[in-house]
Amino acid sequence: MNNKYKILVVEDEDNICNFMKTILHAAGYQTLVACTCSQGQMMFSSHKPDLVILDLGLPDKDGLEFIKSAREHSSTPIIVLSARTTENDKVTALDLGANDYITKPFSTGELTARVRAALRNAVSTSQLNGSAEGKFTLHDLVIDYNRRLVTMDGKEIKFTQTEYNILKLLSNHTGMVLTYAAIIREIWGINDSGSIKKLQVNMANIRKKLGSKPGDNKYIINELGVGYRMSEEGL
Ligand code: CA
């Protein structure tokens, strides 16, 4: 069994802890629970989990402190769990090195999908150094990385170089949110005042070419104020 991953949940609310433990256990994961930030930090060093699910509102310290200390020496995926609805907290957490976030209340499917995506991305990043191999398929969309060819229902769709690079980047991180800043850094290298606008224009063109209507989340989900996420089959 390859999914006996060890997951550390840092969360102070009992009912959410129990809910997550039940779901993660049913999905075949081993779960450890810490109720404070300090306890979480200790368990993180001693148990070396494969993934952390971290609440931001903890009784002793802000969960952001956990991310800061963990990222000094570790690239273990961290999914932030937040009741806060402001985009700022999510962006701050992601900028500090969190890999993704889930907003409370969340569904079973959402939790397991985020966990799966984060673990998968951690593995592919370490093994392939992020390089894309072969093909990506989502519904009727196929990206052939070797031929730089995008087809839908077997028909080729023409993308500009930049559009293709964005599409490739998102598809290499399926199911995970990428912040505007992260995408801009990857695609253009520098982040100036016009970058967000440039990204939005490119995304609008990509979505139009994929035949997506506003609010349509079939291929690319626009996480308002945060970034973009490539959808996953079956969600
Ligand atoms: Ca809390």
Side-chain angles (χ1 to χ4, degrees), residues 11-13 16 55-59 104:
E11 162 68 82
D12 60 317
E13 282 168 67
I16 297 176
D55 182 32
L56 288 183
L58 294 164
K104 296 176 193 173

Side-chain angles (χ1 to χ4, degrees), residues 10 12 35-41 57-63:
V10 188
D12 60 317
C35 304
T36 64
C37 189
S38 314
Q39 196 192 355
Q41 286 169 315
L58 294 164
D60 55 336
K61 293 183 228 174
D62 195 304

Side-chain angles (χ1 to χ4, degrees), residues 36-146:
T36 64
C37 189
S38 314
Q39 196 192 355
Q41 286 169 315
M42 258 164 11
M43 289 175 78
F44 182 72
S45 326
S46 56
H47 293 274
K48 308 218 178 323
D50 298 293
L51 178 130
V52 179
I53 300 175
L54 174 74
D55 182 32
L56 288 183
L58 294 164
D60 55 336
K61 293 183 228 174
D62 195 304
L64 295 174
E65 294 300 320
F66 182 100
I67 303 173
K68 275 186 222 162
S69 65
R71 281 293 171 262
E72 282 170 15
H73 52 81
S74 158
S75 58
T76 302
I78 300 173
I79 299 176
V80 164
L81 191 61
S82 178
R84 305 176 193 186
T85 44
T86 66
E87 283 78 31
N88 263 347
D89 289 315
K90 296 171 186 166
V91 174
T92 306
L94 292 165
D95 282 346
L96 283 174
N99 301 69
D100 207 344
Y101 63 85
I102 310 175
T103 307
K104 296 176 193 173
F106 53 88
S107 68
T108 306
E110 244 176 88
L111 178 66
T112 51
R114 293 282 186 281
V115 166
R116 232 181 12 246
L119 287 169
R120 189 183 53 225
N121 276 280
V123 168
S124 64
T125 306
S126 62
Q127 284 177 358
L128 304 168
N129 197 22
S131 75
E133 300 284 336
K135 284 182 185 175
F136 169 84
T137 307
L138 178 65
H139 307 297
D140 44 2
L141 172 72
V142 178
I143 305 172
D144 184 332
Y145 297 122
N146 297 322

Side-chain angles (χ1 to χ4, degrees), residues 220-232:
I220 296 167
I221 300 162
N222 184 3
E223 303 277 4
L224 286 176
V226 180
Y228 296 98
R229 185 194 299 276
M230 196 88 184
S231 291
E232 271 197 295

